[in-house]
Amino acid sequence: MPTSPQTIFTVSRLNSAVRILLEQEMGVVWLVGEISNLTLHSSGHWYLTLKDAGAQVRCAMFRGSNRLVSFRPQQGMQVLVQARLSLYEPRGEYQLVLESMRPAGAGMQQLQLEQLKQRLQTEGLFAAERKRPLPLMPRAIGLITSPTGAAIHDLLTVLGRRAPGIPVILYPAQVQGEQAPAHLISALACANRRQECDVLILGRGGGASEDLAAFNDEALVRAIADSSLPVVSAVGHESDVTLADFAADLRAPTPSAAAELVSPDQQGMQRQLQQLTDRLQQSWLQRQQTAGHTLRLLEMRLTHQHPQRRLEHRQQRLDELTFRLQRQPGMLLQQANQALQRLNQRLQTRDPRQGIQHAAHQLDKLEQRLLTAQQRQHARRQHHLGLALTRLDAISPLATLARGYSITQRSNGDVVTDSQQVSIGESLTTRLQHGELLVMVTERHADAGK
């Protein structure tokens, strides 16, 4: 973090900057030391000091990480830890934040194994693209294992059951102890030199991690990767994993599983062969039936299209045409006479005189119907007009006057319907059925009912 000469830090800011520098620059470190000042806090966090003969460093292991530790740490215990370098800002003290912890002896071995695995993986020995497929039908199967161990029994049992006809070649080797890697490498080289089998099974039965150490040997791992024959690793139980498993072309969880992987199931193949044979026979029968049916159809077609049949058909056709030609003039004359008769009949049915007579008769009928309709229509209209005049006369004001009634009007033409509408001395006009009277109001009398 570059700073200018004029930069002035507070203590908090300085400690924060130093913490960031430590965490970014150092990253993760591995450390071996002795535990002292161990405090197992009630919060679940652990606080301790790691020391050696010349120095010490404070450490903290938080609850999320120490839950994965498989043992109980004790004062004075030598441990291997994986940690991140940091700074505890309130006191300005740098410390290690522990992420994993294991006893120093086993931990160192595990660390070395992880480092070897990482190195070999970087070299490409474990790459998936270099692994080869196993042969489907091997000529012979090679076993690299102890001739007295449990693995050889399991391997031979499974191979004898699944593929009794495939030869099995044993390349004996020690599978445990200091000499085991050399024995295994020698057996692997012998198998590759002889080239008498198509696939190798490298394996042993289960055991502790120390018993399987030979299969983590770097020289053996490289020999497996360099093998010209496909190698199946079958070391220990399913949970056991060695570097040989990563270098092999295929890993099997157990020796028995390896035997099943490399050997074809002959009983299953026989069943499959029988099924294919049955299908082939059925297909052959169907094709025979189809071919026979096709042959019969072709024979029928050939019979129908034989030259003799075609010649007979042509001769019959010739006779038919000859007969038709011989009677053709008489038939033509008969057809012409029939056509002439039909035309005469049509001409008679369409004589114009008959049409005119029929049309004149229709015209008389229509004229009579028209006259009758006009008379009926005139009578209906006369009747309707009489009814209308009767109704009009009944409501006419003149009819009312004829019955002795009169109409009185003021000078402005308003009809007088109430004595209170006029004044004393006012002149009024009274209309009768015949003529009018000019009257003057001298008295007014109200309606007795009001």
Side-chain angles (χ1 to χ4, degrees):
M1 180 183 296
T3 60
S4 63
Q6 292 80 18
T7 301
I8 299 176
F9 287 92
T10 63
V11 177
S12 297
R13 183 182 175 192
L14 177 63
N15 285 351
S16 177
V18 173
R19 179 184 61 79
I20 294 174
L21 284 174
L22 287 174
E23 293 177 352
Q24 291 180 346
E25 295 297 327
M26 294 298 295
V28 177
V29 297
W30 290 88
L31 190 68
V32 175
E34 177 185 334
I35 295 178
S36 65
N37 301 323
L38 176 62
T39 301
L40 306 180
H41 200 273
S42 59
S43 63
H45 307 318
W46 296 351
Y47 300 97
L48 58 124
T49 300
L50 283 181
K51 65 178 183 178
D52 58 17
Q56 65 180 16
V57 60
R58 293 182 178 274
C59 304
M61 192 171 196
F62 299 114
R63 181 173 54 190
S65 298
N66 62 41
R67 286 178 177 175
L68 304 177
V69 178
S70 59
F71 64 94
R72 187 77 169 180
Q74 303 290 334
Q75 292 287 127
M77 180 181 290
Q78 290 284 332
V79 293
L80 172 69
V81 298
Q82 184 185 28
R84 293 182 291 103
L85 194 61
S86 185
L87 181 83
Y88 185 58
E89 296 181 24
R91 289 200 298 268
E93 298 176 350
Y94 90 91
Q95 65 177 6
L96 295 177
V97 178
L98 306 186
E99 296 182 349
S100 67
M101 178 186 294
R102 63 193 68 175
M108 289 299 294
Q109 293 178 1
Q110 183 65 28
L111 178 61
Q112 292 172 358
L113 183 62
E114 289 292 334
Q115 291 175 342
L116 175 60
K117 176 184 175 183
Q118 185 64 37
R119 180 158 51 86
L120 295 177
Q121 186 172 4
T122 303
E123 293 181 19
L125 267 68
F126 305 156
E129 55 269 17
R130 58 160 294 278
K131 298 184 183 297
R132 294 159 295 186
L134 303 184
L136 296 177
M137 291 291 295
R139 296 171 303 158
I141 299 173
L143 307 180
I144 301 177
T145 187
S146 171
T148 60
I152 187 65
H153 177 266
D154 295 341
L155 289 166
L156 293 177
T157 299
V158 175
L159 292 175
R161 171 175 54 83
R162 287 176 57 87
I166 297 180
V168 178
I169 302 173
L170 175 63
Y171 301 95
Q174 291 184 16
V175 293
Q176 183 175 338
E178 294 183 359
Q179 301 300 321
H183 278 251
L184 293 169
I185 293 172
S186 177
L188 191 60
C190 179
N192 278 273
R193 185 172 61 255
R194 292 181 181 178
Q195 291 291 314
E196 52 194 359
C197 55
D198 294 333
V199 63
L200 297 174
I201 298 178
L202 176 69
R204 60 153 290 159
S209 58
E210 295 80 7
D211 301 331
L212 307 180
F215 295 90
N216 289 319
D217 183 79
E218 180 178 359
L220 175 61
V221 174
R222 292 187 181 275
I224 294 172
D226 293 337
S227 173
S228 61
L229 298 173
V231 178
V232 178
S233 175
V235 180
H237 300 298
E238 185 173 359
S239 59
D240 298 322
V241 181
T242 65
L243 296 183
D245 296 331
F246 295 101
D249 296 285
L250 183 66
R251 174 185 179 266
T254 62
S256 298
E260 292 186 358
L261 289 172
V262 301
S263 61
D265 185 2
Q266 291 191 354
Q267 294 180 355
M269 293 179 65
Q270 289 177 354
R271 290 193 298 270
Q272 186 177 7
L273 179 61
Q274 184 61 44
Q275 292 175 356
L276 292 175
T277 302
D278 295 341
R279 289 175 58 188
L280 179 61
Q281 290 178 350
Q282 185 178 5
S283 177
W284 172 249
L285 290 175
Q286 290 178 351
R287 295 197 64 178
Q288 269 191 326
Q289 293 174 357
T290 303
H293 180 66
T294 304
L295 179 60
R296 288 191 294 272
L297 291 176
L298 291 175
E299 288 177 347
M300 293 174 61
R301 290 178 60 187
L302 181 61
T303 301
H304 292 156
Q305 295 182 3
H306 193 277
Q308 182 64 33
R309 293 291 181 88
R310 298 185 67 181
L311 181 60
E312 293 174 354
H313 178 74
R314 293 294 178 90
Q315 288 177 346
Q316 183 180 1
R317 179 64 174 166
L318 178 61
D319 293 341
E320 180 183 356
L321 292 175
T322 302
F323 177 73
R324 290 176 58 185
L325 182 62
Q326 290 174 352
R327 62 175 187 166
Q328 187 73 15
M331 292 180 60
L332 291 175
L333 181 59
Q334 184 180 359
Q335 292 175 358
N337 290 330
Q338 293 176 354
L340 181 60
Q341 292 177 2
R342 288 195 297 270
L343 291 174
N344 287 330
Q345 291 176 357
R346 291 176 60 187
L347 181 61
Q348 291 176 2
T349 58
R350 296 185 180 183
D351 190 344
R353 290 173 295 179
Q354 294 181 359
I356 293 173
Q357 291 177 359
H358 179 72
H361 180 67
Q362 289 293 108
L363 180 60
D364 292 340
K365 290 173 64 176
L366 291 174
E367 287 179 350
Q368 185 61 36
R369 289 175 59 187
L370 178 61
L371 180 60
T372 302
Q374 288 178 345
Q375 292 175 352
R376 289 178 181 176
Q377 182 70 15
H378 181 69
R380 282 198 299 270
R381 291 183 179 277
Q382 289 289 344
H383 178 68
H384 291 162
L385 180 60
L387 293 177
L389 290 175
T390 301
R391 288 195 298 268
L392 182 62
D393 185 62
I395 61 174
S396 172
L398 297 177
T400 303
L401 296 177
R403 290 196 297 269
Y405 293 94
S406 61
I407 300 175
T408 302
Q409 295 177 304
R410 301 180 69 180
S411 58
N412 58 5
D414 292 341
V415 176
V416 178
T417 60
D418 190 346
S419 60
Q420 301 301 319
Q421 289 182 248
V422 299
S423 303
I424 301 296
E426 184 177 355
S427 296
L428 302 175
T429 301
T430 298
R431 183 175 180 179
L432 304 176
Q433 180 182 11
H434 301 290
E436 296 179 350
L437 297 177
L438 183 62
V439 298
M440 180 180 293
V441 179
T442 58
E443 294 183 7
R444 293 185 308 179
H445 299 284
D447 189 355
K450 291 186 177 180

